[in-house]
Amino acid sequence: MPKDPAIISLGPITSFNEVLNLLPNSIPKDLPSPAPDHHFWDHPKQSTNGVHAVTPPPHNLTNGTSGAPTASEVRFRNQAQVTNLNGTRESRLTLDKGNSSHFRVDGSTDGYPFTTGLRHARTAPVDKSHEIPAFGPHTTEADGPQSKAHAKIRSYTDDPTTKEFPRISKPVELLRNEYDCVVIGSGYGGGVAASRMARAGQSVCLLEKGKERWPGEYPSGFVDAVKQLHVSGDFAPGFLTGAMVEAGDPTGLYHLICGKGQNAFVGNGLGGTSLLNANVFLEADDGTMRLPCWPKEIRENGLKELEDYYKRASNVLEPEEYPKDWPELPKLTMLERQAAALGWKEKFKRVPQTTRFKGGPNSTGVEMYPSALTGMDSTGLNDGSKSSTLVNYLADAWNWGAEMFCQCEVRYIKKHPDPKVEGYLVFFAWHGSERSAFKDNLYEDLMWVHARKCVFLGAGSIGTTEILLRSKKLGLTMSNKVGLQMSGNGDILAFGYNTDTEVNAIGRQYPSPYKPVGPTITGVIDCRDQDNALDGFVIEEGAVPKALAPLFQTMLEMMPGNQVPQGEGLVEKVKHVLAQQGSRFLGPYFSKGSIERTQTYLIMSHDSNQASLTLKDDKIVLEFLGVGRSGHVEYLNDVLKRATHAVGGTFVNSPFYAALGQQEITVHPIGGACMSRDGTGEHGVTNHYGEVFTGRGEETHHGLIVTDGAVIPTALGVNPFATITALAERSVEYAAKYRILEEIDLKTKNEVLDLFAEPYQLVGGKKAIQRKNSNKVNDATDLIKATRAAKANGFGFSEVMSGYIHVGKGLEGDKIEDYQTAARTARGLCEEARFFLSVKAWDTHTIVNRADHRAMLTGTFTCAGLKGSPFMVQRGDFHLFSTDQQAPGTRNLTYDFDMTSTEGIEYHFNGYKVVNSSVALGPIRFWTAASTLYVTISETRTGKVRGRGMLHIRPSDFLSEIFTLNPSGKNLWAKVSSTVSFMSFFARQSAALFLAPFTWQQYPSVSYSGYINDTSPDQTIKIVAIDGVQTLLHVWEPRAPGIETKNLFMIPGASVDQQIFALPTIEVNAVNYFTRAGYRVFVTVHRICQLRVAENNWTTYDARLDIKACYEWIRQEHGPDPVYTIAHCMGSVAYSCGLLDGTIPASWVKGISCSQVFCHPIWSTLNMAKVLAGPIPFDKLYAMFGGSWFSCSSTRDDSYFQQLVNQILRFYPDSREEICNNVSCHRSSLVFGRLWNHRNLNQATHRQINRFFGGVNMTLLHTLMQQGYRGTVTCNGPLFTPLTAPSNLRRLKGIPILLFSGSDNKVLTPEATEKTYGILRDTFGPEGYSREVVRGYGHLDCWMGRESYKDVFPMVRSEVDRVCRGEGWRWKEPDWKNDWRDWKNLEMSGGKKEGKKTV
């Protein structure tokens, strides 16, 4: 608000003075008498430094009672004077105190501040009316005192339930493999590069170490600030040797770098240190720019060389001075007063700064807000007024398509390993997803991105220099000057403690609108106009952020070397003591206290530029010994001491200077990759455009350009960011012209940006540049957008697994033992492997409730045996406890992703953890299963397997993994809900496996599932046996054009039907297999199969009649040629009965393959126990309670007895691996023994066992028990006469017979086929007889197993082919993996009754 020109001041006539005037005898005689101020009208004259002259010619023009001047250039002034004891009069600094009396020209008095409560700035408004930029529809002036709410943005949306802020950076999950340009850092240099390259039409990736924060998200209190503090470096106070320190979050907003002699404070975050600086936009002086350390291209032109680039930077950053019609700032007034005391009043001025003092969109279209004058710039402004690069250059880069990624700490750069590929690989550590919990892996397993054309280093002087130093150590050639010629920009921090006037320089999160603090820096004493540029310096006032306020007084009073003012009287001393105690007991914001009377100083000057940065144990060491003990520093400290004493304060050095052995701290580190003064690497690291030299000569790394303060070869003696920005604009212009060969579009303007919408909001509707869609980026982007739009809660964690993977040719097999063998081989060859992956579920509801429980994988994979490590893993698939469709009762944790080598070659990684019933009640087993990953690596394009092995989670890595669990949500409750949901799901799944015997049982389902293979018969025949019993015969025609058709008869066992050979739930069943091999397949469903008639007490001996009837039909329909027969289990027993007793003529039989048994059934140990245990046989015992029929199926509504049986069967004795909760599986095991190894079935088959099994009558069961007990096939009871007499066996002579058993058969022992095999060989000789044991298989899984077509069927078919087609027959199997679908639609190749003919 402008000060009314009619207000006059009568000098220091305060309320206290008026009281003393009532007591004339109490006034000390040595005090000067106040004299009335002299007033006059004047035309203010602008001095060279922007301060109005004080002695213009007087005028006597008035404008009525208001006292307003008749012309805008006329102003009412006063000249305050005092009368000394000797009667002389002298001018003094006008002290316009808040409690001074004021009189109007018309004679009325006003002893109080204005009704708004605000005091006006003492300096009058600008001299005359002038033009300013026209207001747009969004532009607003700040009005009167605003509420405290304006000091902090709560949310950028209208949703009152959530704090929502823009996010212009992207999740690292959306990072592409390569870009045209990669920008490192997001301060002024990085921001310029990102914006300009994006405007040049380049694909841009920006990597920032810190996080993205917007106004409203910055810390303000001490506790919050400490959480954001990262301390590192070599802490070496005074004469001590020092020690390396590392504490806090590396991505924290504040980074304190300890050094020897010199310390530095910088910022991390999207926006870099621009988030924390004091916004002062001052150009370097011409003398400094002409120093001999600059390249001749710059020093010969001096400041003029950067003139256009300063202007370009100014157009974007829009600096302006603190408005003169805004509230008076005591700290600014104090600095002006001190300037006068030092004799430098003409050098005082207000600084141009990039703080906004009006609302509306800035130069790049981002909505800004007027400053709330909090004084919190150095910890982050929450009021939306700070013009950091986040809201200009970076927002512009985002709008032009640049992709920015946070928490990415670049470690080093190297040239692309393929000499045919241009560009650089930028390696970085990703701190997201709490990956820093893995301290050993964070900086070892680095991610990378390929920059095809340019890399711009804008990580700040220290960050850029560190990257270059490490890159040099790792093989990137460059000048030996890297890390040298660094400077702290001559920064000096000090304080004027407990002055005689309120300064109000302690930042407040919510300042009173009637007592604002102001921007951190608003004024400067500019002393750079010196004969020797190195003598120049500036003094600026500052503000202490609220975070330091609680410790500030203690720090100031405890600092050694404090210099109190001399010659104070008793009254002044008492006032000082009272002020100290006031702050101590009433807090730092007590208006009369010592802290509120403390001035903060920041000096920028010139030092010797002899600081250095080196790497020690791969960590930076900053060193600048003696910088704080130089004569120049002592002189500047003396200047500050005099300025402090002039206002009655105590001079206090910074804690680093006073307590740590005269060390300095800088907020403006510069140098380290300096421009060379002679254009070679002999005297610098870069050329005058910032392009890095390859060595000591003139040659540069094309496109490797430094754009930050690291290139500046000398201290600037002023705030450097304006110069850094100008130099960056110059360098980027060079890169566009000579490296990118594109023009930067500086003309197209942005619309007012909606930061929650899509980019490319450009005036004129300019189209977005299309980028290459690599690695499913668009799909991942859509997923993330959808979940964010739905405000879904997410969950994530990171994981490290290590082990051994063997890479080689000819790797075969994918069973567990194959992985184990490969891992042992790799261990011997030192082929170590490891991945460091972050798992992100963008929607916790999805990963918990979807069947595949899917999340996204991002990270790295390294493998010693595979060229191109580290491999980038992007947008991979993770499945948590997904149901393994290939193994019943099994849950898998799968890792499936494509990965890219540093050479650009893509491989596919497939890994899975197997957690099944084997972990039941076994903690160690559970840990082993959940921490073991079976890995296959293949070529992405060809699918060729390149490697196989195993990875494991080490206990220490698992402990770290726990600390990476990271929920996401719009508020605390959402995060808690997400965590509970995810952890509950994990606990339920784990408990279901760990407590498998006690989980809910699985009863038959109503709906069909997993019927993927329709193998319904081509013909079904009703067969009537000689005793009138009706059964079925199913027929399938061959699907093998060009192959002669042969007939194949298949006989299933008891309780099942044709489905065991034509199973619809596996990819390739026996019928598919043999019909593709040219066989017409017949399958009988005899009277002890899954038929209603099976309840009528029929036995295996009776079933031989059905088999004979089928033979008769086949011979009648398809000719009298003998037929090859395959028989399984009790079907084989029934078949042997018919052959042995002559019911079935041997001449009808071409050959036989017997599965599990033929004519000598021998029960397994557990089945034999059922026969022998107890006084009552099992069948009799069951019949007493359950009746004459045992069903393999049951329901929850079954009889109490059957339900009791179901519950008892939970504890059926078997190995851990075979525990399941399927009721039908349990009941089948009870009556027959365990019929399979569960790992050989798939989930769909096991889930629907009830559809493939019927039951057994007690007569049949009794017969089977008798046969197993006797070890031979028999006729029916009660005699159970054996049928294996020698006379009967002779009927088998001349029939080729193959016998095979599963090695893990728990129904009939493999000895059953061994005994028959021995008897046949002993009786007829070895010719025509063979026996096989199928490793890893049990009983019925030989036919129903998901991979039987690979492990069992070829062995049987080979024998069938040998017998039916001759020894020389060779059949080439189809590509079953890719060619098993649509069997039903294949062309039939066998005609009815065609017999031997080829169709």
Side-chain angles (χ1 to χ4, degrees):
M1 294 177 295
K3 184 174 180 179
D4 191 327
I7 296 177
I8 61 175
S9 173
L10 297 183
I13 304 178
T14 64
S15 300
F16 183 67
N17 296 137
E18 293 167 356
V19 172
L20 292 179
N21 287 335
L22 299 176
L23 304 170
N25 295 330
S26 64
I27 301 176
K29 300 300 182 182
D30 58 343
L31 286 180
S33 301
D37 290 351
H38 296 261
H39 303 86
F40 54 84
W41 297 104
D42 70 346
H43 291 276
K45 179 179 179 182
Q46 189 75 20
S47 69
T48 56
N49 67 344
V51 179
H52 295 297
V54 295
T55 57
H59 300 268
N60 54 1
L61 304 174
T62 61
N63 185 22
T65 58
S66 67
T70 57
S72 60
E73 68 273 13
V74 178
R75 185 172 57 185
F76 193 67
R77 307 280 291 175
N78 68 60
Q79 177 68 41
Q81 295 181 340
V82 295
T83 302
N84 294 327
L85 295 178
N86 59 8
T88 62
R89 300 168 66 87
E90 67 178 17
S91 299
R92 56 161 174 78
L93 293 176
T94 56
L95 301 176
D96 200 4
K97 300 294 183 181
N99 55 359
S100 297
S101 301
H102 293 78
F103 291 84
R104 298 186 184 278
V105 172
D106 60 2
S108 63
T109 61
D110 182 4
Y112 302 94
F114 287 103
T115 55
T116 62
L118 281 175
R119 292 276 292 116
H120 293 254
R122 188 189 181 283
T123 307
V126 291
D127 302 348
K128 60 183 179 180
S129 300
H130 61 282
E131 183 180 1
I132 63 173
F135 281 19
H138 299 262
T139 306
T140 58
E141 279 282 351
D143 55 6
Q146 302 186 64
S147 70
K148 295 181 178 181
H150 288 82
K152 184 172 183 177
I153 296 175
R154 292 292 180 180
S155 176
Y156 281 75
T157 66
D158 292 333
D159 185 356
T161 65
T162 183
K163 294 181 179 180
E164 189 168 356
F165 298 89
R167 288 293 179 262
I168 61 174
S169 64
K170 290 188 173 185
V172 173
E173 287 83 356
L174 299 182
L175 179 73
R176 303 171 192 266
N177 285 334
E178 59 182 17
Y179 295 81
D180 294 327
C181 302
V182 172
V183 179
I184 303 169
S186 60
Y188 293 101
V192 168
S195 169
R196 300 324 190 193
M197 287 299 101
R199 283 179 171 266
Q202 305 303 293
S203 60
V204 176
C205 166
L206 182 145
L207 302 175
E208 165 57 44
K209 179 181 178 181
K211 301 175 182 177
E212 179 178 359
R213 296 178 177 87
W214 283 76
E217 297 183 281
Y218 301 112
S220 54
F222 175 76
V223 174
D224 291 337
V226 168
K227 292 178 181 178
Q228 294 297 326
L229 178 62
H230 175 217
V231 180
S232 67
D234 190 359
F235 182 65
F239 59 87
L240 298 179
T241 304
M244 298 300 292
V245 293
E246 185 75 32
D249 180 5
T251 66
L253 185 59
Y254 318 118
H255 187 189
L256 176 61
I257 301 161
C258 299
K260 297 179 179 180
Q262 181 75 68
N263 305 271
F265 180 81
V266 295
N268 294 322
L270 194 61
T273 305
S274 76
L275 300 172
L276 307 179
N277 69 1
N279 315 316
V280 176
F281 189 97
L282 287 173
E283 299 176 4
D285 62 282
D286 187 68
T288 296
M289 297 305 297
R290 292 182 181 274
L291 290 173
C293 56
W294 288 96
K296 67 176 182 178
E297 292 85 355
I298 294 177
R299 69 172 179 263
E300 288 181 355
N301 295 320
L303 196 59
K304 188 176 181 180
E305 175 66 23
L306 298 182
E307 184 177 344
D308 291 341
Y309 303 106
Y310 275 124
K311 183 177 180 181
R312 190 176 297 176
S314 179
N315 289 339
V316 175
L317 299 172
E318 301 176 306
E320 60 179 317
E321 294 181 6
Y322 180 74
K324 295 179 179 179
D325 55 349
W326 274 48
E328 178 184 359
L329 302 178
K331 65 187 183 72
L332 178 62
T333 302
M334 170 71 80
L335 185 67
E336 185 176 9
R337 177 183 167 194
Q338 291 175 307
L342 292 169
W344 293 333
K345 184 172 180 62
E346 75 284 355
K347 298 181 182 295
F348 170 82
K349 63 180 178 181
R350 300 185 181 208
V351 295
Q353 57 183 295
T354 55
T355 303
R356 298 279 293 193
F357 299 106
K358 60 177 178 291
N362 64 9
S363 62
T364 57
V366 176
E367 287 279 359
M368 303 292 290
Y369 300 89
S371 174
L373 307 180
T374 63
M376 301 277 282
D377 304 66
S378 57
T379 53
L381 277 181
N382 286 313
D383 61 7
S385 68
K386 189 180 184 70
S387 289
S388 65
T389 60
L390 176 66
V391 297
N392 40 65
Y393 280 111
L394 296 180
D396 184 65
W398 166 80
N399 195 45
W400 283 77
E403 297 181 354
M404 291 168 270
F405 303 94
C406 293
Q407 296 182 274
C408 297
E409 179 186 357
V410 173
R411 301 292 287 172
Y412 65 92
I413 303 165
K414 72 175 185 179
K415 290 202 169 185
H416 196 282
D418 187 346
K420 298 179 181 179
V421 179
E422 294 183 352
Y424 303 87
L425 296 184
V426 179
F427 290 83
F428 63 94
W430 178 34
H431 291 266
S433 294
E434 308 297 332
R435 291 163 68 92
S436 58
F438 294 95
K439 299 185 183 300
D440 295 335
N441 301 96
L442 182 65
Y443 294 118
E444 294 178 5
D445 299 338
L446 298 178
M447 302 175 72
W448 55 266
V449 62
H450 175 207
R452 288 188 291 260
K453 299 178 182 178
C454 287
V455 174
F456 296 95
L457 290 103
S461 295
I462 292 177
T464 290
T465 305
E466 177 185 359
I467 293 168
L468 290 176
L469 283 169
R470 190 174 290 109
S471 301
K472 187 173 187 293
K473 284 182 175 291
L474 295 175
L476 186 67
T477 59
M478 65 184 72
S479 168
N480 291 328
K481 295 296 183 179
V482 64
L484 303 179
Q485 284 184 267
M486 296 194 73
S487 167
N489 201 40
D491 283 6
I492 298 175
L493 174 68
F495 307 94
Y497 174 57
N498 199 6
T499 65
D500 59 8
T501 307
E502 183 178 354
V503 179
N504 191 29
I506 305 297
R508 301 173 185 245
Q509 184 176 6
Y510 303 107
S512 167
Y514 308 107
K515 190 180 180 183
V517 178
T520 292
I521 295 175
T522 49
V524 62
I525 303 173
D526 192 343
C527 300
R528 289 182 291 163
D529 186 12
Q530 307 284 344
D531 293 336
N532 182 355
L534 297 180
D535 292 333
F537 63 92
V538 297
I539 304 175
E540 296 166 350
E541 102 287 9
V544 176
K546 176 179 181 291
L548 295 180
L551 308 177
F552 193 44
Q553 182 173 9
T554 302
M555 179 191 74
L556 293 177
E557 293 180 356
M558 292 182 65
M559 286 300 102
N562 289 354
Q563 301 179 42
V564 299
Q566 302 297 319
E568 286 187 331
L570 177 62
V571 174
E572 285 76 12
K573 291 182 178 180
V574 170
K575 287 182 178 179
H576 276 74
V577 172
L578 291 176
Q580 286 180 330
Q581 300 307 315
S583 289
R584 180 169 290 114
F585 293 103
L586 299 179
Y589 294 108
F590 173 54
S591 60
K592 304 297 182 181
S594 59
I595 296 302
E596 279 288 70
R597 293 169 177 257
T598 296
Q599 178 79 303
T600 299
Y601 310 110
L602 181 61
I603 283 183
M604 276 139 283
S605 60
H606 290 269
D607 55 30
S608 60
N609 308 302
Q610 293 298 301
S612 66
L613 192 74
T614 57
L615 292 178
K616 178 181 179 182
D617 297 329
D618 204 39
K619 296 182 179 180
I620 57 173
V621 175
L622 178 63
E623 187 171 2
F624 197 171
L625 296 177
V627 62
R629 293 190 292 273
S630 69
H632 191 56
V633 170
E634 292 178 359
Y635 165 73
L636 294 176
N637 282 333
D638 184 66
V639 169
L640 295 179
K641 180 177 68 175
R642 288 188 287 120
T644 302
H645 291 172
V647 292
T650 299
F651 176 67
V652 181
N653 281 117
S654 79
F656 293 89
Y657 187 92
L660 299 181
Q662 294 186 330
Q663 296 192 30
E664 294 295 346
I665 182 170
T666 180
V667 292
H668 304 125
I670 54 179
C674 297
M675 294 179 174
S676 172
R677 67 172 183 263
D678 65 354
T680 71
E682 185 72 27
H683 295 99
V685 180
T686 75
N687 64 14
H688 65 101
Y689 286 117
E691 196 163 54
V692 177
F693 291 121
T694 60
R696 301 177 68 176
E698 297 180 356
E699 184 183 356
T700 61
H701 291 290
H702 283 204
L704 184 59
I705 300 172
V706 180
T707 58
D708 57 25
V711 299
I712 298 177
T714 180
L716 296 176
V718 75
N719 308 69
F721 90 75
T723 304
I724 292 172
T725 308
L727 287 170
E729 290 277 14
R730 181 175 181 270
S731 296
V732 172
E733 183 181 72
Y734 158 81
K737 186 174 181 179
Y738 295 104
R739 296 293 178 248
I740 305 298
L741 306 180
E742 296 286 348
E743 184 179 354
I744 301 173
D745 183 354
L746 297 177
K747 297 180 180 179
T748 303
K749 301 297 184 181
N750 299 331
E751 297 280 4
V752 176
L753 296 182
D754 179 357
L755 297 172
F756 292 94
E758 296 298 310
Y760 295 103
Q761 303 168 40
L762 306 175
V763 174
K766 189 170 182 177
K767 298 292 181 68
I769 299 173
Q770 296 300 316
R771 305 300 186 196
K772 180 181 177 182
N773 176 26
S774 60
N775 293 30
K776 303 180 281 190
V777 173
N778 285 353
D779 292 341
T781 301
D782 292 341
L783 170 64
I784 294 173
K785 286 180 180 178
T787 54
R788 285 181 171 176
K791 292 183 171 56
N793 304 327
F795 199 87
F797 61 91
S798 295
E799 185 172 65
V800 170
M801 297 191 73
S802 55
Y804 296 89
I805 295 178
H806 177 54
V807 177
K809 298 180 179 180
L811 295 174
E812 297 181 355
D814 57 358
K815 293 182 170 54
I816 298 299
E817 52 268 27
D818 299 320
Y819 292 100
Q820 294 170 340
T821 300
R824 284 193 294 269
T825 303
R827 181 187 291 270
L829 297 174
C830 297
E831 293 179 311
E832 293 188 64
R834 178 175 65 234
F835 71 51
F836 186 9
L837 298 177
S838 294
V839 181
K840 180 66 175 181
W842 300 99
D843 187 347
T844 309
H845 179 81
T846 298
I847 194 173
V848 169
N849 295 292
R850 274 183 50 148
D852 60 357
H853 308 298
R854 179 182 175 187
M856 189 179 292
L857 290 172
T858 306
T860 58
F861 170 75
T862 58
C863 180
L866 199 60
K867 188 178 180 182
S869 293
F871 295 86
M872 279 290 289
V873 178
Q874 297 165 292
R875 295 165 286 282
D877 290 332
F878 170 75
H879 302 275
L880 177 65
F881 284 124
S882 58
T883 300
D884 188 345
Q885 300 299 330
Q886 305 301 316
T890 300
R891 296 293 183 270
N892 288 341
L893 288 79
T894 62
Y895 302 71
D896 193 77
F897 51 81
D898 291 331
M899 56 187 184
T900 307
S901 73
T902 54
E903 297 178 336
I905 302 173
E906 290 193 354
Y907 295 94
H908 184 76
F909 180 106
N910 179 264
Y912 63 94
K913 301 175 184 177
V914 179
V915 187
N916 54 27
S917 57
S918 66
V919 306
L921 305 179
I924 296 178
R925 285 174 172 266
F926 185 90
W927 165 256
T928 302
S931 63
T932 302
L933 188 71
Y934 303 99
V935 177
T936 299
I937 297 174
S938 57
E939 295 178 357
T940 300
R941 288 185 294 177
T942 65
K944 182 180 178 181
V945 175
R946 292 294 307 277
R948 183 168 282 132
M950 298 167 61
L951 300 179
H952 303 274
I953 301 177
R954 296 180 300 180
S956 59
D957 288 334
F958 178 72
L959 182 62
S960 297
E961 184 174 336
I962 292 175
F963 290 99
T964 69
L965 300 177
N966 183 30
S968 59
K970 61 182 181 180
N971 51 42
L972 178 61
W973 172 248
K975 293 180 180 180
V976 171
S977 176
S978 180
T979 302
V980 170
S981 178
F982 180 86
M983 298 307 295
S984 297
F985 169 75
F986 188 90
R988 288 195 306 270
Q989 296 297 321
S990 300
L993 296 163
F994 186 75
L995 304 174
F998 307 102
T999 57
W1000 289 99
Q1001 290 185 308
Q1002 193 177 68
Y1003 285 89
S1005 64
V1006 175
S1007 59
Y1008 289 81
S1009 62
Y1011 272 48
I1012 60 175
N1013 188 357
D1014 179 10
T1015 317
S1016 52
D1018 300 318
Q1019 188 178 11
T1020 298
I1021 310 300
K1022 177 76 74 172
I1023 299 295
V1024 181
I1026 192 172
D1027 61 355
V1029 176
Q1030 298 182 16
T1031 57
L1032 300 173
L1033 178 68
H1034 299 289
V1035 184
W1036 288 265
E1037 293 297 327
R1039 268 76 169 170
I1043 300 178
E1044 182 183 6
T1045 298
K1046 298 291 183 179
N1047 294 325
L1048 180 65
F1049 183 39
M1050 305 182 78
I1051 307 171
S1055 189
V1056 294
D1057 58 12
Q1058 82 283 353
Q1059 293 182 104
I1060 69 166
F1061 299 122
L1063 195 62
T1065 55
I1066 59 177
E1067 295 175 350
V1068 182
N1069 57 45
V1071 169
N1072 300 147
Y1073 189 90
F1074 285 101
T1075 54
R1076 293 285 293 271
Y1079 292 92
R1080 179 184 292 113
V1081 176
F1082 305 88
V1083 178
T1084 177
V1085 183
H1086 47 78
R1087 66 185 67 191
I1088 62 172
C1089 286
Q1090 190 176 194
L1091 291 173
R1092 190 71 177 180
V1093 71
E1095 299 180 12
N1096 296 334
N1097 295 323
W1098 300 115
T1099 66
T1100 51
Y1101 187 70
D1102 300 323
R1104 77 193 192 288
L1105 302 178
D1106 304 323
I1107 296 171
K1108 178 183 180 181
C1110 291
Y1111 265 113
E1112 291 172 339
W1113 186 89
I1114 294 170
R1115 290 169 62 81
Q1116 175 185 342
E1117 294 294 318
H1118 295 279
D1121 292 338
V1123 178
Y1124 197 96
T1125 303
I1126 298 174
H1128 171 71
C1129 191
M1130 292 305 109
S1132 186
V1133 169
Y1135 184 46
S1136 68
C1137 290
L1139 287 172
L1140 291 171
D1141 73 354
T1143 301
I1144 303 172
S1147 61
W1148 294 2
V1149 181
K1150 183 75 171 179
I1152 306 172
S1153 287
C1154 300
S1155 172
Q1156 315 307 323
V1157 68
F1158 185 42
C1159 56
H1160 295 93
I1162 302 175
W1163 297 125
S1164 65
T1165 302
L1166 190 56
N1167 279 348
M1168 191 61 73
K1170 299 173 189 175
V1171 175
L1172 300 177
I1176 305 176
F1178 174 76
D1179 58 310
K1180 302 294 184 183
L1181 181 63
Y1182 178 82
M1184 294 170 58
F1185 299 97
S1188 62
W1189 177 259
F1190 181 90
S1191 174
C1192 292
S1193 183
S1194 181
T1195 68
R1196 290 184 175 87
D1197 299 320
D1198 217 332
S1199 66
Y1200 290 120
F1201 172 71
Q1202 298 297 343
Q1203 291 188 52
L1204 176 61
V1205 171
N1206 295 340
Q1207 297 304 317
I1208 293 174
L1209 289 177
R1210 286 177 179 270
F1211 308 101
Y1212 184 84
D1214 212 334
S1215 62
R1216 291 175 181 268
E1217 291 82 359
E1218 307 303 334
I1219 296 175
C1220 73
N1221 60 355
N1222 188 294
V1223 170
S1224 297
C1225 185
H1226 292 172
R1227 294 177 70 89
S1228 300
S1229 297
L1230 174 64
V1231 70
F1232 297 118
R1234 177 164 53 79
L1235 292 163
W1236 37 65
N1237 285 350
H1238 280 80
R1239 66 176 178 270
N1240 293 328
L1241 301 186
N1242 64 21
Q1243 174 67 18
T1245 302
H1246 185 261
R1247 179 67 185 89
Q1248 296 167 112
I1249 290 296
N1250 58 290
R1251 302 190 192 281
F1252 312 131
F1253 278 80
V1256 61
N1257 64 72
M1258 290 302 103
T1259 302
L1260 171 60
L1261 184 59
H1262 183 68
T1263 301
L1264 297 179
M1265 292 171 65
Q1266 288 295 324
Q1267 290 180 349
Y1269 176 72
R1270 299 167 188 268
T1272 183
V1273 293
T1274 68
C1275 62
N1276 288 335
L1279 297 179
F1280 299 109
T1281 304
L1283 297 175
T1284 53
S1287 58
N1288 291 341
L1289 285 173
R1290 281 195 291 271
R1291 292 191 174 99
L1292 302 178
K1293 185 177 181 179
I1295 302 176
I1297 299 177
L1298 166 68
L1299 302 113
F1300 66 91
S1301 297
S1303 62
D1304 301 328
N1305 195 330
K1306 299 302 180 183
V1307 179
L1308 297 147
T1309 69
E1311 295 176 12
T1313 54
E1314 172 68 26
K1315 182 177 180 179
T1316 303
Y1317 178 65
I1319 290 175
L1320 290 174
R1321 285 168 56 89
D1322 291 343
T1323 303
F1324 305 112
E1327 187 176 353
Y1329 304 108
S1330 59
R1331 177 177 178 269
E1332 299 286 346
V1333 175
V1334 185
R1335 298 297 172 186
Y1337 280 77
H1339 185 76
L1340 198 51
D1341 48 338
C1342 287
W1343 297 104
M1344 301 176 70
R1346 68 180 184 279
E1347 294 187 342
S1348 295
Y1349 73 94
K1350 292 193 294 187
D1351 301 329
V1352 182
F1353 300 168
M1355 176 263 295
V1356 178
R1357 180 198 49 77
S1358 179
E1359 175 65 13
V1360 175
D1361 283 346
R1362 185 188 69 81
V1363 174
C1364 296
R1365 303 182 187 276
E1367 292 284 353
W1369 177 258
R1370 295 292 182 271
W1371 178 62
K1372 183 179 180 180
E1373 295 200 20
D1375 179 11
W1376 294 112
K1377 184 176 181 180
N1378 302 306
D1379 188 24
W1380 60 269
R1381 293 176 175 83
D1382 299 325
W1383 172 89
K1384 190 71 176 176
N1385 299 324
L1386 294 176
E1387 179 186 354
M1388 296 184 190
S1389 58
K1392 187 175 181 180
K1393 296 185 179 180
E1394 289 296 325
K1396 298 180 182 179
K1397 295 182 180 179
T1398 300
V1399 180

